[in-house]
Amino acid sequence: MADVKSRVNVHSKTTVVSSKPIGPGKVHRFSALDHATGLHTLHIIFYYRTNPFHGSNYSFLDSFWVSLSEVLCLYPQSTGRLHRGEDGNWFVKCNDAGVRMLRATVGATLDEWLRSADATEERDLTVWEDMPDEPDIWSPFRIQINDFEGGGVAIGLSCTHMHADPTCATTLIKSWAEVHQGVPLAHPPLTLPLAPRRCLSPNTDTKSIKYYATKSKAETVSVKMATATFSFPDSAIKQRLIEVHEKCPDANPFDFLAALFWMRVVRLKEPTHDHTSSLSICTDFRKLMDAPLPYGYFGNALHFSLLSLDSEILDNGRLGHVVEMVHNHVAGLAEEEFWSAIDGLESQKEEMGQYAAPFRMYGPELTCVNMEHMIIPTGANESSSYQSLMYAAMFKKDEKPFHVTYHVGNVEGEGLILVVPSPEKGLSRRVTVTLPEEQIAKLCEDQALLDLEPTMLISGRK
């Protein structure tokens, strides 16, 4: 079959540098956790109904160029270039080389795109490049501005996962929007790497260390993957949480959706003799530490933990029980586990101080990413209203993105599930699922999911 021509046409490329030069000799060193994610890339797409850069006091080009140049002064690690130190570890030489900027036109209206595009085509809205062997002239951050016919724009951000996790990559775009509006940054960047604990006998005998050691040795088979995004309304999630309330009264939308999708995906697999099924749960630990990290902490603050259940429990429809198990697992994550995982990665350094080779953090088990932490209060007390970080990236007042998509590159294994806040208030959520191609087609027709009356986004389904 002939390749279908992309509707995304990249027509210009340039480089945007910070408006103020970085002082000589400044470097940014990566943590052990940053290095461990080195096989992956991160891609985020912010969709806007109207072009946020039109109607300003500048021309279109100058409008986003000026504000981006200003915010890049605060993120020198994004404008620098990667180098290897004498110890063999990566670091960023903050040399003002700049961020690669691309502009593109999309041969469809925004609504046509959301109805007809699939995840493969959506990739064209961002840059997908693996880090070259010699990246000293390669931009690790790329921003692509995509104009749709009839108005609307998608801003795609791509970067190495070693530089940033979903939270700090989101705050980078949000900070850009705040500079563009001329308002103070809500979450200014903290760019110090996450240092290991300075203790004489770090705990290296925990579940986390054993799990990471297993992951680092796991082999995966590369298969063709496909992706679909489900948007679930507040009313459906609220009703299902009521139904499982007796079993798990404190369940939140993530607990329910992680359990539901886990159960449905297990049913799609070929039967095996293995009597257990496992789910890897990815949790951001910024606010789970005794001394919390700010949302602006720039680096990786993710923890992967394993939940295993008897396959019979997952296969016989006991949803409330699985919701309870997911909830208790996430609620039971302790700071000691986060630190022990970091200690374990640090302990694997070679004699000269080089970190161990990166491995597939997202896999080999089915992995589910919890992004409930992205919903934050807008005031100082419990009665405050809440907003989601990604939908607060407003380049114009009160004009927030109406959809934000997250993708992780180089995912292999059983698949990836991202449970993301929705722009609608309440309990509505959006779930992006990446599975082997034959499984995703069946999942999109799964009646247990269709009963929740989801809207399908970027799935190619009419």
Side-chain angles (χ1 to χ4, degrees):
M1 179 186 291
D3 291 337
V4 178
K5 184 178 180 181
S6 174
R7 289 180 287 179
V8 180
N9 175 39
V10 176
H11 57 79
S12 67
K13 299 180 182 180
T14 188
T15 299
V16 181
V17 299
S18 55
S19 58
K20 297 178 182 178
I22 304 298
K26 183 177 179 60
V27 299
H28 174 76
R29 302 194 183 277
F30 295 111
S31 71
L33 190 52
D34 295 333
H35 274 88
T37 64
L39 294 181
H40 298 291
T41 54
L42 182 62
H43 310 266
I44 312 177
I45 303 168
F46 296 77
Y47 289 89
Y48 296 85
R49 286 288 179 190
T50 60
N51 195 315
F53 304 111
H54 284 161
S56 68
N57 295 327
Y58 304 98
S59 68
F60 174 82
L61 180 63
D62 288 342
S63 179
F64 70 75
W65 191 299
V66 170
S67 56
L68 181 57
S69 293
E70 291 180 7
V71 80
L72 290 179
C73 296
L74 304 174
Y75 294 86
Q77 72 276 40
S78 67
T79 61
R81 295 296 181 261
L82 284 163
H83 294 265
R84 277 199 186 275
E86 293 182 359
D87 58 4
N89 295 325
W90 292 109
F91 71 94
V92 177
K93 184 179 290 186
C94 302
N95 55 5
D96 287 318
V99 169
R100 197 69 166 152
M101 172 72 74
L102 296 82
R103 287 199 60 198
T105 56
V106 184
T109 67
L110 190 48
D111 288 331
E112 288 171 348
W113 176 266
L114 293 173
R115 287 195 304 268
S116 62
D118 60 18
T120 300
E121 193 173 22
E122 189 184 40
R123 288 169 61 107
D124 294 336
L125 300 179
T126 64
V127 181
W128 288 71
E129 291 180 357
D130 288 330
M131 184 173 67
D133 293 335
E134 298 181 4
D136 54 318
I137 61 171
W138 176 76
S139 174
F141 281 77
R142 284 87 62 198
I143 296 175
Q144 183 169 317
I145 310 294
N146 305 275
D147 292 297
F148 290 90
E149 292 181 353
V153 70
I155 300 175
L157 171 66
S158 305
C159 63
T160 71
H161 209 312
M162 187 163 57
H163 277 79
D165 65 11
T167 301
C168 57
T170 300
T171 59
L172 170 59
I173 298 298
K174 184 173 179 290
S175 295
W176 178 18
E178 289 163 346
V179 169
H180 193 80
Q181 278 202 67
V183 300
L185 267 60
H187 306 290
L190 172 65
T191 58
L192 295 175
L194 188 63
R197 289 183 294 184
R198 302 300 181 189
C199 54
L200 295 177
S201 56
N203 187 358
T204 57
D205 185 25
T206 63
K207 293 180 181 179
S208 297
I209 286 185
K210 294 174 183 176
Y211 179 42
Y212 279 33
T214 301
K215 287 167 72 70
S216 68
K217 300 173 184 176
E219 296 183 1
T220 58
V221 178
S222 180
V223 299
K224 188 174 183 180
M225 308 290 273
T227 301
T229 297
F230 302 77
S231 180
F232 295 103
D234 170 80
S235 57
I237 302 297
K238 187 177 297 183
Q239 178 59 38
R240 293 309 190 274
L241 290 178
I242 291 173
E243 293 173 4
V244 300
H245 181 269
E246 183 176 352
K247 191 67 178 176
C248 188
D250 297 323
N252 61 33
F254 172 80
D255 301 329
F256 166 72
L257 290 167
L260 176 64
F261 273 87
W262 186 14
M263 294 176 70
R264 307 320 295 175
V265 170
V266 165
R267 287 172 172 254
L268 301 177
K269 297 179 182 178
E270 295 292 332
T272 67
H273 297 294
D274 192 349
H275 297 297
T276 62
S277 179
S278 298
L279 182 70
S280 177
I281 297 179
C282 174
T283 305
D284 187 293
F285 58 73
R286 281 172 174 79
K287 298 304 176 184
L288 300 179
M289 310 285 273
D290 289 339
L293 292 169
Y295 280 104
Y297 168 72
F298 209 87
N300 282 276
L302 299 179
H303 181 76
F304 292 80
S305 56
L306 191 67
L307 174 61
S308 298
L309 294 178
D310 192 299
S311 298
E312 183 180 351
I313 295 175
L314 296 168
D315 203 34
N316 66 9
R318 295 167 59 186
L319 178 59
H321 178 68
V322 180
V323 171
E324 179 186 30
M325 296 302 291
V326 171
H327 174 81
N328 290 342
H329 177 86
V330 175
L333 292 174
E335 181 174 0
E336 178 60 27
E337 289 290 333
F338 310 146
W339 280 118
S340 72
I342 296 169
D343 291 339
L345 294 172
E346 286 282 343
S347 69
Q348 294 174 12
K349 281 184 177 180
E350 297 180 0
E351 185 175 344
M352 297 299 293
Q354 183 174 2
Y355 290 114
F359 53 93
R360 304 219 180 260
M361 300 292 282
Y362 297 85
E365 299 87 7
L366 182 67
T367 302
C368 191
V369 180
N370 180 0
M371 299 182 73
E372 293 292 301
H373 70 284
M374 300 282 261
I375 304 173
I376 61 175
T378 57
N381 53 59
E382 294 183 359
S383 62
S384 302
S385 59
Y386 289 79
Q387 67 175 2
S388 301
L389 281 177
M390 65 282 287
Y391 303 110
M394 295 181 288
F395 289 85
K396 291 183 179 179
K397 187 177 181 180
D398 299 327
E399 290 190 21
K400 64 182 181 180
F402 72 93
H403 180 50
V404 181
T405 301
Y406 292 81
H407 295 283
V408 178
N410 296 323
V411 171
E412 292 183 359
E414 296 184 17
L416 178 64
I417 302 168
L418 296 102
V419 182
V420 182
S422 169
E424 292 81 24
K425 293 183 178 181
L427 302 179
S428 57
R429 295 292 185 272
R430 292 182 174 176
V431 181
T432 298
V433 187
T434 300
L435 296 172
E437 194 172 44
E438 69 278 2
Q439 292 183 17
I440 207 72
K442 296 177 182 178
L443 188 72
C444 290
E445 298 175 352
D446 188 285
Q447 193 58 50
L449 300 181
L450 296 180
D451 286 345
L452 295 174
E453 300 181 349
T455 300
M456 301 298 295
L457 299 171
I458 313 295
S459 67
R461 295 169 60 85
K462 307 295 188 268

